[in-house]
Amino acid sequence: MTLVAAAGFYLFRYGLDRPVAATYALFAAVALGGLAKIPGTGRQQAATVLRLLPVCWLLVVVGTWLSVRTWSAVVGMLAVGFALAFAAVGGPRPAGAAPGLQLLYILPSFPPYAPGTLPERLIGTTTGLALFIAAEALLLPEPSPPSYRARATHAARTAAHDATLLAAPPYALTDLDIREAREAGRSLRSLMVPEAERPAGPGVRDRALAHTGLATRTLLSRLVQLPAAPDGHPGPEVTAVLQAVARLATATATCLHAGASPTAPYDDLVSTRARLSAASAGPLPTGDSTCTGPFTPEGSASAGPPPAADSVRGTARAPEFPPAVLRRHAAVLEIADAALAMATAAGLAVHGRHAPVRIPYGRFWYARARAPVLWWHRARGHAGRRSVFFQNAVRIALALTAARLVAGLDTLPHGFWATLATLTLTRTTMDETWRTIRLALAGTLAGALVTAGVLSLAGTDTTVYAVVLPVWMLCAFTLGPVKGVGWAQGLFTVLVALVFAQLAPPTWRLAEVRMLDVLVGSVIGAVFGLLAWPRGAHDELRHAAAELLRRAAEIVVATGASVACGGAVPASSGVPGHRSLQRAIILAESAYAQFQSEPVPFGGAARGAGLRTVDWQATLMAGHHTLWGADRLLTPPLTGLDPAAAGSVSGLGERVAGRMLLVSAALDPGADTPAGRIPLVDPALEAPGTEPPGAPRLYYATVAWLDSLMTDLRRIPRGSPEAP
């Protein structure tokens, strides 16, 4: 940063005598290299800034032309400020670049209105960014961390190893294998992955890569939890499925590593899964069903023709198999489903919309959509007051607009600094904003005193400032990020004084102006931090998680009824209930991501302690597992169950949904929400011997899904006294 900023500034200020270009070269480097928090190594940051060059040019042009009037500059600040902040929905890179891009609009939007200097401004901006890109790409290279694809490749190989062990004597995993499987799954959690490597973008490949990680984690978890065979031998059909899973997991790892297609192992697993599902065939009578109404689920026409080999339902009675065997068969079918989802997602992640594997629409709805559609879908999903991205964009846009308005109406000297203070000091929670402001004001005061002393002693001798500036830059760019916002503001106060002292005759009053501007910007940031969602993601996470569980409960009830009645209740992946749950998951995931970076909420540590005792990841997994299980169980054709099995499935679904509603109420209680402990162990799901006599395989598949949802619910409380 010191090399780039000093080189660009001195080149134009003293080499070419272009003070405007010198200013823009310096602040372009500071904006994208210092103020922006673009994740990744130097080369990754350089690539991001290179792609953002046209955006930077556009911001300088728009800011220059809109500065003709205060009202146009204010309107532009509102629109540009919101758009740049809301771009965070695109992932960590646009989110990290947004503050720097805001600065590139703020700088030209202040007087003087000088469109004639626009070419010089663009030349300075381009030079500063070009130097920054070159320095990040070439100087002091950093080792690259493992990519998400590499992590997923390792996890898929681990799954292949575990499936191979489970398919051969002694048909069990060792303690070391279990630990390695859990570690491989943990490595795919977003919190364990550097921001630059997280597949968080709205495009097909990023969505599919995130889906690959989720499916691989699910596969590893199900392999570890597979119950032992009752008689010590799993049977040929189960062994064949596990061997096919191992082959598909190996092919998936090869696909992620080298791009090879996993089509042949995919088809192999589909056929072996169908044989296990159809073992001990015998048609299930449907005339005794107690359900009423049509048996064709709404939306089944769009789901494609009824799959023969790809069916997991096995509605045949299997009286020769005891319930324990059928439970294990259901668990093995769950493993096969996770492996197929992993392979499909990996194919999409590597090959995009032209993936060679068969794509089921419901779970992979994004597979054939083009990039603009997916961007629109992502933006529309967050275009509401319940999205933390929307809240953050509104908060910072209003604060920047107010700062620009105050600077324009009151002719605040160097009003640019007031707006910059608002940009850098406004946080997502009121507590964090207030703490930041206190430190920033203290640092600015110290920096102003140092500035006044330096300007008084050096006077108009620019040689002193030119010599001191690079040394001070090195101190500011090194100590500021390490020591915190107070040090950063103090050092930056002296730095800008050293810069402007070389552009115009300086006086000690420059320090006074800087202090006044930071104070005004801090007050504006504090006001909007208090008025606009002062608790940040803390409240939204509670609400989003509770809403997720409520939507999941609706789908659980509808799915149980559909399985029981053969489709009398429409609950396929194309109905609005699934879209509502998908949106609830998106909002909960974004709130959780912001929650991780926020301090104790407004109101003190005691109020925030309850949120820290909740496993929010388990809540998100419950939503994903609800979608996946419903999509799998409701694949046509649906033939229904006999009255005993139908009544049992419907009752179990209602009980699990009831637990979900109770947990949602505990996460986001109202004023009169009843207090009490929530039983999260259901004997009907846990105890053996409670199955209806002669229940088909579809019954056990449904019960296994409901049991996995109860496992997710049990993981939500962490055992603290405040937990439900």
Side-chain angles (χ1 to χ4, degrees), residues 147-154 156-157 160 205 208-209 212 216 246-266 339-352 354-359:
S147 66
Y148 198 83
R149 275 180 65 169
R151 293 167 182 261
T153 300
H154 171 70
R157 290 194 176 115
R205 294 175 188 266
L209 191 54
T212 303
T216 307
R247 290 191 294 270
L248 182 57
T250 301
T252 300
T254 304
C255 174
L256 291 168
H257 179 69
S261 171
T263 303
Y266 183 97
L340 291 171
M342 175 187 67
T344 303
L348 283 170
V350 174
H351 301 285
H354 305 291
V357 294
R358 183 175 48 178
I359 309 296

Side-chain angles (χ1 to χ4, degrees), residues 227-574:
D231 56 356
H233 192 281
E237 295 91 355
V238 169
T239 300
V241 170
L242 292 173
Q243 290 172 344
V245 167
R247 290 191 294 270
L248 182 57
T250 301
T252 300
T254 304
C255 174
L256 291 168
H257 179 69
S261 171
T263 303
Y266 183 97
D267 294 337
D268 180 33
L269 178 56
V270 168
S271 60
T272 54
R273 184 183 67 165
R275 286 195 292 272
L276 174 61
S277 180
S280 305
L284 173 68
T286 58
D288 56 354
S289 174
T290 59
C291 302
T292 59
F295 277 69
T296 301
E298 180 183 331
S300 61
S302 63
D310 196 23
S311 175
V312 297
R313 55 204 65 269
T315 50
R317 294 186 184 276
E320 68 274 20
F321 288 130
V325 173
L326 292 176
R327 281 181 177 269
R328 193 169 193 272
H329 286 185
V332 172
L333 292 175
E334 294 267 335
I335 290 173
D337 178 75
L340 291 171
M342 175 187 67
T344 303
L348 283 170
V350 174
H351 301 285
R353 295 187 301 113
H354 305 291
V357 294
R358 183 175 48 178
I359 309 296
Y361 171 77
R363 192 180 299 184
F364 300 94
W365 58 270
Y366 54 85
R368 303 305 182 199
R370 296 190 177 274
V373 175
L374 294 175
W375 268 95
W376 169 250
H377 186 277
R378 174 70 64 87
R380 185 182 62 179
H382 286 283
R385 64 184 183 87
R386 287 301 181 184
S387 167
V388 291
F389 290 123
F390 181 83
Q391 294 175 5
N392 295 340
V394 169
R395 183 189 299 111
I396 195 63
L398 292 177
L400 292 177
T401 301
R404 182 62 183 87
L405 182 63
V406 170
L409 295 181
D410 291 349
T411 61
L412 188 69
H414 292 277
F416 163 76
W417 302 114
T419 309
L420 181 58
T422 301
L423 173 65
T424 56
L425 301 182
T426 303
R427 297 293 189 267
T428 57
T429 67
M430 183 56 201
D431 276 359
E432 191 180 7
T433 299
W434 175 235
R435 176 182 174 274
T436 302
I437 287 174
R438 293 201 313 267
L439 295 174
L441 290 177
T444 303
L445 178 59
L449 294 175
V450 174
T451 298
V454 171
L455 295 178
S456 299
L457 293 175
T460 59
D461 187 359
T462 57
T463 304
V464 175
Y465 306 127
V467 171
V468 174
L469 178 60
V471 178
W472 197 267
M473 278 184 178
L474 184 60
C475 294
F477 295 144
T478 303
L479 296 178
V482 176
K483 293 293 189 179
V485 67
W487 279 78
Q489 286 291 328
L491 293 168
F492 194 67
T493 297
V494 180
L495 189 151
V496 297
L498 295 174
V499 170
F500 279 91
Q502 300 176 63
L503 298 173
T507 68
W508 68 269
R509 299 189 66 87
L510 185 62
E512 176 187 349
V513 171
R514 166 72 177 164
M515 187 67 202
L516 174 63
D517 289 338
V518 172
L519 179 60
V520 171
S522 300
V523 170
I524 293 173
V527 168
F528 283 94
L530 178 63
L531 296 179
W533 300 283
R535 283 175 52 81
H538 286 70
D539 281 341
E540 283 312 314
L541 183 56
R542 285 186 180 276
H543 176 85
E547 179 66 14
L548 183 155
L549 290 176
R550 286 193 289 268
R551 296 294 185 182
E554 295 173 359
I555 292 180
V556 167
V557 172
T559 301
S562 292
V563 169
C565 302
V569 178
S572 69
S573 58

Side-chain angles (χ1 to χ4, degrees), residues 92 190-191 195 198 200 388-389 537 541 586-598 616-617 620:
S190 60
L191 292 179
E195 275 191 306
R198 296 175 189 172
V388 291
F389 290 123
L541 183 56
I586 290 171
L587 295 179
E589 287 176 337
S590 61
Y592 177 64
Q594 180 170 310
F595 169 80
Q596 293 297 311
S597 64
E598 290 181 347
W616 300 106
Q617 280 275 344
L620 299 176

